[in-house]
Short mmCIF file of all heavy atoms in Angstrom, two decimals:
data_model
loop_
_atom_site.label_atom_id
_atom_site.label_comp_id
_atom_site.label_asym_id
_atom_site.label_seq_id
_atom_site.Cartn_x
_atom_site.Cartn_y
_atom_site.Cartn_z
N MET S 6 -20.90 0.87 -18.30
CA MET S 6 -22.07 1.62 -17.88
C MET S 6 -22.40 1.25 -16.43
O MET S 6 -22.49 0.08 -16.09
CB MET S 6 -23.24 1.31 -18.80
CG MET S 6 -24.51 1.97 -18.41
SD MET S 6 -25.77 1.61 -19.61
CE MET S 6 -26.61 3.13 -19.61
N SER S 7 -22.58 2.25 -15.60
CA SER S 7 -22.91 2.01 -14.20
C SER S 7 -24.34 1.50 -14.04
O SER S 7 -25.21 1.81 -14.85
CB SER S 7 -22.75 3.29 -13.39
OG SER S 7 -21.40 3.63 -13.26
N TYR S 8 -24.54 0.74 -12.97
CA TYR S 8 -25.87 0.24 -12.64
C TYR S 8 -26.13 0.50 -11.17
O TYR S 8 -25.29 0.18 -10.33
CB TYR S 8 -25.97 -1.27 -12.92
CG TYR S 8 -27.25 -1.87 -12.41
CD1 TYR S 8 -28.43 -1.73 -13.12
CD2 TYR S 8 -27.28 -2.55 -11.20
CE1 TYR S 8 -29.62 -2.26 -12.65
CE2 TYR S 8 -28.46 -3.09 -10.71
CZ TYR S 8 -29.62 -2.94 -11.44
OH TYR S 8 -30.79 -3.46 -10.97
N ILE S 9 -27.27 1.09 -10.87
CA ILE S 9 -27.69 1.33 -9.50
C ILE S 9 -28.96 0.53 -9.28
O ILE S 9 -29.97 0.76 -9.95
CB ILE S 9 -27.98 2.83 -9.23
CG1 ILE S 9 -26.86 3.74 -9.73
CG2 ILE S 9 -28.28 3.06 -7.75
CD1 ILE S 9 -25.53 3.55 -9.09
N ASP S 10 -28.91 -0.42 -8.35
CA ASP S 10 -30.09 -1.23 -8.06
C ASP S 10 -31.24 -0.32 -7.64
O ASP S 10 -31.03 0.64 -6.90
CB ASP S 10 -29.75 -2.21 -6.94
CG ASP S 10 -30.81 -3.26 -6.75
OD1 ASP S 10 -31.87 -2.92 -6.20
OD2 ASP S 10 -30.59 -4.41 -7.15
N PRO S 11 -32.45 -0.60 -8.11
CA PRO S 11 -33.60 0.23 -7.73
C PRO S 11 -33.80 0.37 -6.22
O PRO S 11 -34.28 1.41 -5.76
CB PRO S 11 -34.79 -0.49 -8.37
CG PRO S 11 -34.20 -1.21 -9.54
CD PRO S 11 -32.82 -1.62 -9.09
N LYS S 12 -33.38 -0.62 -5.45
CA LYS S 12 -33.49 -0.53 -3.99
C LYS S 12 -32.59 0.56 -3.42
O LYS S 12 -32.85 1.07 -2.33
CB LYS S 12 -33.14 -1.87 -3.33
CG LYS S 12 -34.12 -3.00 -3.64
CD LYS S 12 -33.67 -4.29 -3.01
CE LYS S 12 -32.39 -4.74 -3.67
NZ LYS S 12 -32.01 -6.10 -3.46
N LEU S 13 -31.54 0.91 -4.14
CA LEU S 13 -30.60 1.95 -3.68
C LEU S 13 -30.91 3.32 -4.27
O LEU S 13 -30.25 4.30 -3.92
CB LEU S 13 -29.17 1.58 -4.08
CG LEU S 13 -28.52 0.43 -3.37
CD1 LEU S 13 -27.13 0.19 -3.94
CD2 LEU S 13 -28.44 0.69 -1.89
N ARG S 14 -31.85 3.39 -5.16
CA ARG S 14 -32.09 4.62 -5.91
C ARG S 14 -32.31 5.83 -5.00
O ARG S 14 -31.74 6.89 -5.21
CB ARG S 14 -33.29 4.42 -6.85
CG ARG S 14 -33.61 5.59 -7.73
CD ARG S 14 -32.53 6.00 -8.68
NE ARG S 14 -32.15 4.95 -9.59
CZ ARG S 14 -31.20 5.09 -10.49
NH1 ARG S 14 -30.55 6.23 -10.61
NH2 ARG S 14 -30.87 4.12 -11.29
N SER S 15 -33.11 5.68 -3.94
CA SER S 15 -33.38 6.84 -3.08
C SER S 15 -32.12 7.30 -2.36
O SER S 15 -31.89 8.50 -2.20
CB SER S 15 -34.49 6.54 -2.08
OG SER S 15 -34.09 5.54 -1.17
N ARG S 16 -31.28 6.37 -1.94
CA ARG S 16 -30.02 6.74 -1.29
C ARG S 16 -29.09 7.41 -2.29
O ARG S 16 -28.43 8.40 -1.98
CB ARG S 16 -29.35 5.51 -0.69
CG ARG S 16 -30.22 4.82 0.30
CD ARG S 16 -29.51 4.58 1.54
NE ARG S 16 -30.38 3.83 2.44
CZ ARG S 16 -30.14 3.70 3.69
NH1 ARG S 16 -29.08 4.24 4.22
NH2 ARG S 16 -30.96 3.02 4.46
N PHE S 17 -29.02 6.84 -3.48
CA PHE S 17 -28.18 7.42 -4.52
C PHE S 17 -28.65 8.84 -4.85
O PHE S 17 -27.84 9.76 -4.96
CB PHE S 17 -28.22 6.54 -5.77
CG PHE S 17 -27.42 7.07 -6.92
CD1 PHE S 17 -26.04 6.98 -6.92
CD2 PHE S 17 -28.05 7.67 -8.00
CE1 PHE S 17 -25.29 7.48 -7.98
CE2 PHE S 17 -27.31 8.17 -9.05
CZ PHE S 17 -25.94 8.08 -9.05
N GLU S 18 -29.95 9.04 -4.98
CA GLU S 18 -30.50 10.34 -5.33
C GLU S 18 -30.29 11.38 -4.23
O GLU S 18 -30.33 12.58 -4.50
CB GLU S 18 -31.98 10.23 -5.66
CG GLU S 18 -32.25 9.49 -6.96
CD GLU S 18 -31.65 10.15 -8.19
OE1 GLU S 18 -31.50 11.39 -8.21
OE2 GLU S 18 -31.30 9.42 -9.13
N SER S 19 -30.04 10.94 -3.00
CA SER S 19 -29.82 11.88 -1.91
C SER S 19 -28.40 12.48 -1.93
O SER S 19 -28.13 13.44 -1.22
CB SER S 19 -30.07 11.21 -0.55
OG SER S 19 -29.04 10.29 -0.24
N LEU S 20 -27.52 11.94 -2.76
CA LEU S 20 -26.15 12.43 -2.86
C LEU S 20 -26.11 13.70 -3.71
O LEU S 20 -27.02 13.97 -4.50
CB LEU S 20 -25.25 11.37 -3.50
CG LEU S 20 -25.14 10.05 -2.75
CD1 LEU S 20 -24.38 9.04 -3.60
CD2 LEU S 20 -24.49 10.23 -1.40
N SER S 21 -25.02 14.43 -3.56
CA SER S 21 -24.85 15.64 -4.37
C SER S 21 -24.69 15.26 -5.84
O SER S 21 -24.28 14.14 -6.17
CB SER S 21 -23.62 16.43 -3.91
OG SER S 21 -22.44 15.75 -4.30
N ILE S 22 -24.98 16.20 -6.71
CA ILE S 22 -24.85 15.95 -8.15
C ILE S 22 -23.42 15.58 -8.51
O ILE S 22 -23.19 14.72 -9.37
CB ILE S 22 -25.37 17.14 -8.98
CG1 ILE S 22 -25.45 16.80 -10.46
CG2 ILE S 22 -24.53 18.38 -8.76
CD1 ILE S 22 -26.52 15.82 -10.80
N ASP S 23 -22.44 16.21 -7.86
CA ASP S 23 -21.04 15.90 -8.16
C ASP S 23 -20.70 14.46 -7.79
O ASP S 23 -20.00 13.77 -8.54
CB ASP S 23 -20.11 16.86 -7.42
CG ASP S 23 -20.19 18.28 -7.95
OD1 ASP S 23 -20.51 18.45 -9.15
OD2 ASP S 23 -19.93 19.21 -7.18
N LEU S 24 -21.18 14.01 -6.63
CA LEU S 24 -20.92 12.62 -6.22
C LEU S 24 -21.62 11.64 -7.16
O LEU S 24 -21.04 10.63 -7.55
CB LEU S 24 -21.39 12.38 -4.79
CG LEU S 24 -20.39 12.64 -3.69
CD1 LEU S 24 -21.02 12.43 -2.32
CD2 LEU S 24 -19.16 11.78 -3.84
N LYS S 25 -22.86 11.94 -7.50
CA LYS S 25 -23.58 11.05 -8.42
C LYS S 25 -22.84 10.94 -9.75
O LYS S 25 -22.68 9.83 -10.27
CB LYS S 25 -25.01 11.55 -8.64
CG LYS S 25 -25.90 11.35 -7.44
CD LYS S 25 -27.35 11.62 -7.76
CE LYS S 25 -27.64 13.09 -7.74
NZ LYS S 25 -29.09 13.39 -7.81
N ASN S 26 -22.39 12.05 -10.27
CA ASN S 26 -21.66 12.03 -11.54
C ASN S 26 -20.36 11.25 -11.42
O ASN S 26 -20.00 10.50 -12.33
CB ASN S 26 -21.39 13.46 -12.02
CG ASN S 26 -22.63 14.14 -12.54
OD1 ASN S 26 -23.59 13.49 -12.94
ND2 ASN S 26 -22.62 15.46 -12.52
N GLU S 27 -19.66 11.42 -10.31
CA GLU S 27 -18.41 10.69 -10.10
C GLU S 27 -18.67 9.18 -10.05
O GLU S 27 -17.92 8.39 -10.64
CB GLU S 27 -17.73 11.16 -8.82
CG GLU S 27 -16.39 10.51 -8.55
CD GLU S 27 -15.33 10.78 -9.60
OE1 GLU S 27 -15.34 11.86 -10.23
OE2 GLU S 27 -14.47 9.90 -9.80
N ILE S 28 -19.70 8.77 -9.35
CA ILE S 28 -20.05 7.35 -9.26
C ILE S 28 -20.40 6.81 -10.65
O ILE S 28 -19.90 5.76 -11.05
CB ILE S 28 -21.21 7.13 -8.28
CG1 ILE S 28 -20.74 7.41 -6.85
CG2 ILE S 28 -21.78 5.72 -8.40
CD1 ILE S 28 -21.86 7.50 -5.83
N LEU S 29 -21.23 7.53 -11.37
CA LEU S 29 -21.68 7.06 -12.67
C LEU S 29 -20.54 6.93 -13.68
O LEU S 29 -20.53 6.01 -14.50
CB LEU S 29 -22.78 7.97 -13.22
CG LEU S 29 -24.10 7.91 -12.47
CD1 LEU S 29 -25.05 8.97 -13.00
CD2 LEU S 29 -24.72 6.53 -12.53
N LYS S 30 -19.58 7.81 -13.61
CA LYS S 30 -18.48 7.73 -14.58
C LYS S 30 -17.49 6.60 -14.28
O LYS S 30 -16.66 6.27 -15.11
CB LYS S 30 -17.76 9.07 -14.70
CG LYS S 30 -16.78 9.40 -13.63
CD LYS S 30 -16.10 10.73 -13.93
CE LYS S 30 -14.97 10.97 -12.96
NZ LYS S 30 -14.32 12.26 -13.19
N ARG S 31 -17.62 5.98 -13.11
CA ARG S 31 -16.72 4.89 -12.73
C ARG S 31 -17.17 3.52 -13.25
O ARG S 31 -16.50 2.52 -13.03
CB ARG S 31 -16.60 4.82 -11.20
CG ARG S 31 -15.83 5.98 -10.65
CD ARG S 31 -15.88 6.03 -9.15
NE ARG S 31 -15.04 7.10 -8.67
CZ ARG S 31 -13.80 6.92 -8.21
NH1 ARG S 31 -13.30 5.72 -8.09
NH2 ARG S 31 -13.10 7.95 -7.84
N ASN S 32 -18.30 3.48 -13.90
CA ASN S 32 -18.81 2.21 -14.45
C ASN S 32 -18.89 1.12 -13.39
O ASN S 32 -18.40 0.01 -13.58
CB ASN S 32 -17.95 1.74 -15.63
CG ASN S 32 -18.03 2.72 -16.78
OD1 ASN S 32 -19.09 3.26 -17.07
ND2 ASN S 32 -16.92 2.98 -17.42
N VAL S 33 -19.51 1.46 -12.27
CA VAL S 33 -19.67 0.50 -11.17
C VAL S 33 -21.05 -0.12 -11.21
O VAL S 33 -21.98 0.41 -11.82
CB VAL S 33 -19.43 1.17 -9.80
CG1 VAL S 33 -17.98 1.59 -9.65
CG2 VAL S 33 -20.35 2.35 -9.60
N ARG S 34 -21.18 -1.25 -10.54
CA ARG S 34 -22.47 -1.93 -10.40
C ARG S 34 -22.78 -1.98 -8.90
O ARG S 34 -22.09 -2.68 -8.17
CB ARG S 34 -22.42 -3.31 -11.02
CG ARG S 34 -22.08 -3.21 -12.51
CD ARG S 34 -22.13 -4.50 -13.25
NE ARG S 34 -23.47 -5.03 -13.47
CZ ARG S 34 -24.37 -4.55 -14.33
NH1 ARG S 34 -24.08 -3.49 -15.04
NH2 ARG S 34 -25.54 -5.11 -14.48
N LEU S 35 -23.76 -1.21 -8.48
CA LEU S 35 -24.09 -1.10 -7.07
C LEU S 35 -25.41 -1.84 -6.80
O LEU S 35 -26.47 -1.43 -7.27
CB LEU S 35 -24.22 0.37 -6.67
CG LEU S 35 -22.99 1.24 -6.97
CD1 LEU S 35 -23.26 2.68 -6.59
CD2 LEU S 35 -21.76 0.71 -6.27
N TYR S 36 -25.29 -2.92 -6.04
CA TYR S 36 -26.45 -3.74 -5.71
C TYR S 36 -26.87 -3.59 -4.25
O TYR S 36 -28.03 -3.83 -3.91
CB TYR S 36 -26.16 -5.22 -5.98
CG TYR S 36 -25.91 -5.51 -7.44
CD1 TYR S 36 -24.62 -5.67 -7.92
CD2 TYR S 36 -26.97 -5.62 -8.33
CE1 TYR S 36 -24.39 -5.94 -9.26
CE2 TYR S 36 -26.75 -5.89 -9.67
CZ TYR S 36 -25.46 -6.05 -10.12
OH TYR S 36 -25.23 -6.31 -11.45
N THR S 37 -25.92 -3.24 -3.39
CA THR S 37 -26.20 -3.15 -1.95
C THR S 37 -25.67 -1.83 -1.41
O THR S 37 -24.85 -1.16 -2.05
CB THR S 37 -25.52 -4.29 -1.17
OG1 THR S 37 -24.10 -4.12 -1.26
CG2 THR S 37 -25.92 -5.67 -1.70
N ILE S 38 -26.11 -1.51 -0.20
CA ILE S 38 -25.61 -0.29 0.45
C ILE S 38 -24.11 -0.40 0.69
O ILE S 38 -23.38 0.58 0.60
CB ILE S 38 -26.40 0.01 1.75
CG1 ILE S 38 -26.06 1.41 2.29
CG2 ILE S 38 -26.13 -1.03 2.80
CD1 ILE S 38 -26.55 2.53 1.45
N GLN S 39 -23.63 -1.62 0.92
CA GLN S 39 -22.19 -1.81 1.12
C GLN S 39 -21.42 -1.49 -0.16
O GLN S 39 -20.32 -0.93 -0.10
CB GLN S 39 -21.89 -3.25 1.57
CG GLN S 39 -22.32 -3.55 2.98
CD GLN S 39 -23.81 -3.89 3.10
OE1 GLN S 39 -24.49 -4.15 2.12
NE2 GLN S 39 -24.31 -3.87 4.33
N ASP S 40 -21.99 -1.83 -1.30
CA ASP S 40 -21.36 -1.48 -2.58
C ASP S 40 -21.26 0.04 -2.72
O ASP S 40 -20.23 0.57 -3.15
CB ASP S 40 -22.16 -2.02 -3.77
CG ASP S 40 -22.17 -3.53 -3.85
OD1 ASP S 40 -21.29 -4.19 -3.26
OD2 ASP S 40 -23.10 -4.06 -4.52
N LEU S 41 -22.33 0.73 -2.36
CA LEU S 41 -22.34 2.19 -2.44
C LEU S 41 -21.31 2.80 -1.49
O LEU S 41 -20.55 3.69 -1.87
CB LEU S 41 -23.74 2.73 -2.14
CG LEU S 41 -23.91 4.24 -2.14
CD1 LEU S 41 -23.50 4.85 -3.48
CD2 LEU S 41 -25.35 4.61 -1.79
N ILE S 42 -21.27 2.30 -0.27
CA ILE S 42 -20.32 2.81 0.72
C ILE S 42 -18.89 2.58 0.24
O ILE S 42 -18.04 3.47 0.33
CB ILE S 42 -20.56 2.15 2.10
CG1 ILE S 42 -21.88 2.66 2.68
CG2 ILE S 42 -19.39 2.43 3.05
CD1 ILE S 42 -22.36 1.89 3.88
N LYS S 43 -18.60 1.41 -0.30
CA LYS S 43 -17.25 1.11 -0.80
C LYS S 43 -16.87 2.07 -1.93
O LYS S 43 -15.75 2.59 -1.97
CB LYS S 43 -17.20 -0.34 -1.29
CG LYS S 43 -15.91 -0.72 -1.98
CD LYS S 43 -14.75 -0.79 -1.03
CE LYS S 43 -13.52 -1.40 -1.67
NZ LYS S 43 -12.48 -0.44 -1.95
N CYS S 44 -17.80 2.33 -2.82
CA CYS S 44 -17.53 3.27 -3.91
C CYS S 44 -17.24 4.66 -3.35
O CYS S 44 -16.30 5.33 -3.80
CB CYS S 44 -18.72 3.29 -4.85
SG CYS S 44 -18.45 4.30 -6.31
N LEU S 45 -18.01 5.11 -2.38
CA LEU S 45 -17.79 6.41 -1.78
C LEU S 45 -16.45 6.46 -1.04
O LEU S 45 -15.74 7.47 -1.12
CB LEU S 45 -18.94 6.76 -0.82
CG LEU S 45 -20.29 7.01 -1.50
CD1 LEU S 45 -21.39 7.11 -0.45
CD2 LEU S 45 -20.25 8.23 -2.38
N GLU S 46 -16.09 5.37 -0.36
CA GLU S 46 -14.79 5.32 0.30
C GLU S 46 -13.65 5.41 -0.70
O GLU S 46 -12.65 6.09 -0.45
CB GLU S 46 -14.67 4.02 1.12
CG GLU S 46 -15.51 4.01 2.36
CD GLU S 46 -15.52 2.68 3.09
OE1 GLU S 46 -15.16 1.63 2.49
OE2 GLU S 46 -15.87 2.69 4.27
N ASP S 47 -13.81 4.76 -1.85
CA ASP S 47 -12.78 4.83 -2.89
C ASP S 47 -12.63 6.27 -3.41
O ASP S 47 -11.51 6.73 -3.63
CB ASP S 47 -13.13 3.90 -4.05
CG ASP S 47 -13.02 2.44 -3.68
OD1 ASP S 47 -12.42 2.11 -2.63
OD2 ASP S 47 -13.56 1.61 -4.47
N ILE S 48 -13.74 6.95 -3.57
CA ILE S 48 -13.70 8.34 -4.03
C ILE S 48 -12.96 9.21 -3.02
O ILE S 48 -12.10 10.03 -3.37
CB ILE S 48 -15.12 8.87 -4.30
CG1 ILE S 48 -15.72 8.15 -5.51
CG2 ILE S 48 -15.13 10.38 -4.50
CD1 ILE S 48 -17.21 8.38 -5.71
N VAL S 49 -13.28 9.04 -1.75
CA VAL S 49 -12.63 9.82 -0.69
C VAL S 49 -11.14 9.52 -0.64
O VAL S 49 -10.31 10.43 -0.51
CB VAL S 49 -13.30 9.56 0.67
CG1 VAL S 49 -12.48 10.14 1.81
CG2 VAL S 49 -14.71 10.11 0.69
N ALA S 50 -10.77 8.25 -0.76
CA ALA S 50 -9.37 7.85 -0.69
C ALA S 50 -8.55 8.48 -1.83
O ALA S 50 -7.36 8.76 -1.65
CB ALA S 50 -9.25 6.33 -0.72
N GLU S 51 -9.17 8.69 -2.96
CA GLU S 51 -8.48 9.27 -4.11
C GLU S 51 -8.37 10.79 -4.03
O GLU S 51 -7.60 11.38 -4.78
CB GLU S 51 -9.19 8.87 -5.39
CG GLU S 51 -9.09 7.39 -5.69
CD GLU S 51 -9.95 6.96 -6.85
OE1 GLU S 51 -10.50 7.84 -7.57
OE2 GLU S 51 -10.09 5.75 -7.05
N ALA S 52 -9.14 11.39 -3.17
CA ALA S 52 -9.16 12.87 -3.08
C ALA S 52 -7.93 13.40 -2.36
O ALA S 52 -7.22 12.76 -1.70
CB ALA S 52 -10.41 13.34 -2.37
#
């Protein structure tokens, strides 16, 4: 189950629904903005 730190919630919510769904299905734990950026980079690299 993915976890998004409450401090990142507003940044996470600013993403498109497709990106949010992709992040959530990866079962990641995002505590910092760097964690979020790394996850987004991984998604882009796989595309």
Side-chain angles (χ1 to χ4, degrees):
M6 177 177 216
S7 289
Y8 171 79
I9 311 298
D10 191 285
K12 294 177 293 196
L13 290 178
R14 183 61 59 181
S15 66
R16 302 230 184 195
F17 179 76
E18 291 299 330
S19 72
L20 300 172
S21 72
I22 189 70
D23 291 332
L24 271 177
K25 288 190 280 190
N26 287 337
E27 183 62 31
I28 291 168
L29 292 174
K30 79 177 188 182
R31 290 172 176 261
N32 296 321
V33 293
R34 300 186 71 73
L35 304 178
Y36 296 101
T37 66
I38 191 68
Q39 289 81 14
D40 294 340
L41 178 57
I42 291 168
K43 173 70 170 107
C44 185
L45 292 170
E46 288 173 341
D47 290 346
I48 292 168
V49 169
E51 293 172 10

